């Protein structure tokens, strides 16, 4: 369990850094729409960029905004994390995400701890709802924490499973 928590922390930290320039707004966007086609979501000068994190509601966490992990990630990345919650049941959360997509609503910048399955990641990624992160994983400097943690904590078979689960088998894109 500690290894899984370590992986999740590394991925969240890496994703937070990767998406430090991404901020959410309430305006729905179309898939594959470039930033120039949409209003800027960058924070005004002097303000920290906002990164929205969508996750399952967990009754064991009293306060997501003021807990030590959130504060640490905000300090390291210079971002303001804001949380959007989905049902605590994964199947219900998947339905809520699908409904948002169908309704043209904007998704959070990061979906955390919502095991939707590789086929769902691939489908939504190919449709432009998820960002291809493969260039970040190919850059050893940008993804060193992830790769070091994966290699030092898991055997090759599990590493291969993680990579296969993350990667679109046809394009090599990484969506989750």
């Amino acid at each position: 369990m500690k290894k899984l928590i370590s992986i999740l922390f590394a991925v969240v930290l890496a994703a937070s850094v990767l998406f430090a320039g991404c901020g959410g707004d309430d305006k729905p966007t179309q898939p594959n729409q470039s930033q120039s086609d949409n209003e800027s979501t960058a924070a005004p000068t002097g303000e920290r960029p906002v990164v929205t994190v969508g996750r399952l509601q967990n009754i064991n966490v009293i306060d997501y905004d003021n807990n030590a992990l959130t504060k640490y990630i905000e300090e390291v990345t210079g971002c303001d994390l804001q949380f959007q919650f989905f049902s605590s049941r994964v199947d219900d959360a998947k339905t809520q995400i699908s409904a948002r997509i169908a309704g043209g609503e904007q998704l959070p910048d990061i979906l955390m701890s919502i095991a939707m399955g590789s086929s769902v990641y691939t489908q939504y990624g190919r449709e432009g709802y998820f960002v291809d992160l493969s260039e970040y994983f190919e850059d050893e400097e940008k993804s060193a924490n992830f790769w070091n943690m994966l290699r030092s904590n898991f055997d090759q078979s599990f590493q291969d499973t993680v990579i296969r689960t993350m990667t679109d088998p046809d394009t090599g894109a990484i969506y989750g």
Side-chain angles (χ1 to χ4, degrees), residues 17-38:
V17 171
L18 296 174
F19 292 113
C22 299
D25 60 17
D26 292 324
K27 181 180 177 186
T29 57
Q30 296 299 315
N32 295 322
Q33 184 176 13
S34 70
Q35 184 64 36
S36 61
D37 294 340
N38 195 2

Side-chain angles (χ1 to χ4, degrees), residues 25-149:
D25 60 17
D26 292 324
K27 181 180 177 186
T29 57
Q30 296 299 315
N32 295 322
Q33 184 176 13
S34 70
Q35 184 64 36
S36 61
D37 294 340
N38 195 2
E39 294 177 11
S40 172
T41 58
T45 305
E47 291 185 30
R48 296 172 4 150
V50 174
V51 176
T52 56
V53 179
R55 60 162 298 123
L56 301 177
Q57 182 68 45
N58 183 336
I59 61 171
N60 296 318
V61 178
I62 297 169
D63 186 354
Y64 284 93
D65 293 320
N66 295 307
N67 70 43
L69 178 59
T70 299
K71 293 298 179 192
Y72 174 75
I73 292 172
E74 287 178 334
E75 180 182 320
V76 169
T77 64
C79 294
D80 178 25
L81 297 182
Q82 294 185 358
F83 295 90
Q84 296 178 9
F85 298 102
F86 295 97
S87 173
S88 60
R89 294 187 35 168
V90 173
D91 288 339
D92 292 343
K94 287 168 57 174
T95 300
Q96 291 169 330
I97 291 167
S98 295
R100 278 191 177 192
I101 289 172
E105 294 179 51
Q106 184 168 341
L107 293 174
D109 298 314
I110 299 170
L111 292 175
M112 178 179 160
S113 303
I114 304 175
M116 296 174 32
S118 59
S119 63
V120 175
Y121 297 133
T122 299
Q123 174 191 346
Y124 288 151
R126 288 179 181 175
E127 292 173 2
Y129 294 103
F130 293 164
V131 176
D132 178 7
L133 303 173
S134 59
E135 70 180 89
Y136 299 103
F137 285 94
E138 292 166 359
D139 185 326
E140 284 288 326
E141 184 178 326
K142 292 179 182 175
S143 60
N145 289 339
F146 172 80
W147 293 116
N148 291 339
M149 186 272 313

Side-chain angles (χ1 to χ4, degrees), residues 151-172:
R151 290 178 187 132
S152 64
N153 290 301
F154 300 102
D155 64 22
Q156 187 63 47
S157 174
F158 187 78
Q159 291 176 40
D160 293 343
T161 300
V162 169
I163 301 307
R164 188 174 45 256
T165 301
M166 292 173 29
T167 307
D168 180 328
D170 296 327
T171 66

